[in-house]
Amino acid sequence: MQTYFFILAALLYLGCAFMPSERRTPISLGIVLGWVLHGGALLSDMFAPEALRVGFAVMLSATLWISVAAYWLENRNFSLDSMRVLVLPVAAVSVVLPSIFPGNMIVLAGKSDWFLAHIAISILAYSTLTIAAFHAVLMVLQESRLHTRPGPAAQTGWFAMALDRLPALLTMEKLLFRLIGFGFVLLTLTVLSGVVFSEQLFGTPFRWDHKTVFTMLSWLLFGLLLAGRRWQGWRGRTALSFTLAGFAILLLAYVGSRFVLEVVLHRVLT
């Protein structure tokens, strides 16, 4: 049953992604329905009595589930309709991945309460910075369009027209840094809760594995970006480059490394 819900949610996401912008009500309702189906199936798939399913596909799906909600709410306040074609197709792919790559169940008995808290905070951090990355891509496309003079034929596409309806670049930049600031706070809490969780479970504050290294590198990049923004006035291409680089490294921290371990190397880890 979960698989059918996942497939239906993916189809709803895809349908809403490429629906004409004028159909705002069907798009909004379709996203909400897909999000509810996605969340319900994900919840029942992740949690079992005294056990939790982990894996790159599950965590990616959970991240995109929250990212869809963040996009929907952000689009209610600002005209960000063009982000649909970026967020929803990726969400549609992430929805069905747990059915293909189920990961593994870990027993929660004996685990610290920090374990679930750490996972929840990290997913929120990844989700916020995922939306920030989509936002940065949108700004790159918006800036590129402002510096070109497309002919009449190129202006008829709905995505091009949606780009033209985006808020001014300065407004988009303010939104981007608001997302990055919030995501950085969550990422900091992820690192701190990870220290507590690691110390209670493994007896050491840090496990210097790939996940820790990539997470710390991403944290340093986003922190440097915010510091540069505050004291050096960084903006434009510099801000976008830092955002996308930080997100790429963060993606490698868990999703990328788990993909290699689970799918390429066929290793099952907790």
Side-chain angles (χ1 to χ4, degrees):
M1 183 63 70
Q2 293 167 356
T3 302
Y4 294 116
F5 284 159
F6 283 142
I7 293 174
L8 183 55
L11 291 175
L12 283 168
Y13 283 158
L14 287 175
C16 291
F18 301 106
M19 198 176 292
S21 302
E22 293 75 17
R23 307 187 65 181
R24 291 181 60 87
T25 300
I27 290 172
S28 183
L29 292 176
I31 292 174
V32 170
L33 181 56
W35 184 81
V36 170
L37 289 172
H38 183 180
L42 188 62
L43 188 66
S44 62
D45 185 54
M46 285 183 67
F47 292 95
E50 296 297 323
L52 175 72
R53 185 181 303 280
V54 297
F56 88 93
V58 173
M59 294 306 164
L60 184 63
S61 184
T63 297
L64 266 297
W65 179 67
I66 297 175
S67 298
V68 169
Y71 155 72
W72 188 87
L73 291 172
E74 193 176 39
N75 192 47
R76 306 284 291 180
N77 299 318
F78 301 93
S79 179
L80 299 174
D81 185 66
S82 49
M83 194 179 285
R84 277 190 297 130
V85 77
L86 301 177
V87 176
L88 295 184
V90 178
V93 173
S94 75
V95 167
V96 298
L97 282 179
S99 300
I100 305 172
F101 306 105
N104 58 290
M105 300 295 292
I106 60 174
V107 178
L108 295 178
K111 291 283 194 302
S112 167
D113 292 338
W114 281 104
F115 180 73
L116 287 178
H118 172 68
I119 289 178
I121 294 171
S122 63
I123 290 175
L124 286 173
Y126 292 173
S127 302
T128 304
L129 294 171
T130 296
I131 282 294
F134 282 127
H135 197 100
V137 170
L138 207 57
M139 288 179 64
V140 170
L141 295 174
Q142 182 185 20
E143 186 179 21
S144 176
R145 183 162 175 79
L146 288 174
H147 287 85
T148 58
R149 296 183 179 276
Q155 297 179 7
T156 58
W158 75 265
F159 186 68
M161 291 188 290
L163 283 176
D164 291 337
R165 289 196 296 267
L166 285 172
L169 269 173
L170 285 177
T171 303
M172 293 286 286
E173 191 172 79
K174 289 179 182 178
L175 289 173
L176 176 65
F177 275 97
R178 188 170 69 180
L179 286 168
I180 292 172
F182 183 56
F184 181 73
V185 171
L186 291 171
L187 191 58
T188 302
L189 292 175
T190 299
V191 172
L192 293 176
S193 64
V195 169
V196 176
F197 163 65
S198 179
E199 190 165 25
Q200 290 190 5
L201 192 61
F202 303 111
T204 176
F206 280 101
R207 298 182 71 196
W208 287 107
D209 54 12
H210 49 271
K211 184 168 65 174
T212 302
V213 171
F214 284 135
T215 300
M216 292 304 299
L217 282 175
S218 179
W219 181 82
L220 287 172
L221 273 179
F222 283 117
L224 181 60
L225 172 58
L226 292 173
R229 168 74 168 185
R230 175 67 177 83
W231 286 293
Q232 298 295 326
W234 288 358
R235 49 174 305 192
R237 289 283 179 174
T238 300
L240 298 178
S241 298
F242 266 85
T243 301
L244 295 175
F247 173 73
I249 294 172
L250 185 63
L251 195 65
L252 290 173
Y254 188 86
V255 175
S257 59
R258 292 289 302 212
F259 175 82
V260 172
L261 291 171
E262 294 176 24
V263 179
V264 179
L265 301 179
H266 303 289
R267 291 171 57 188
V268 177
L269 298 176
T270 58

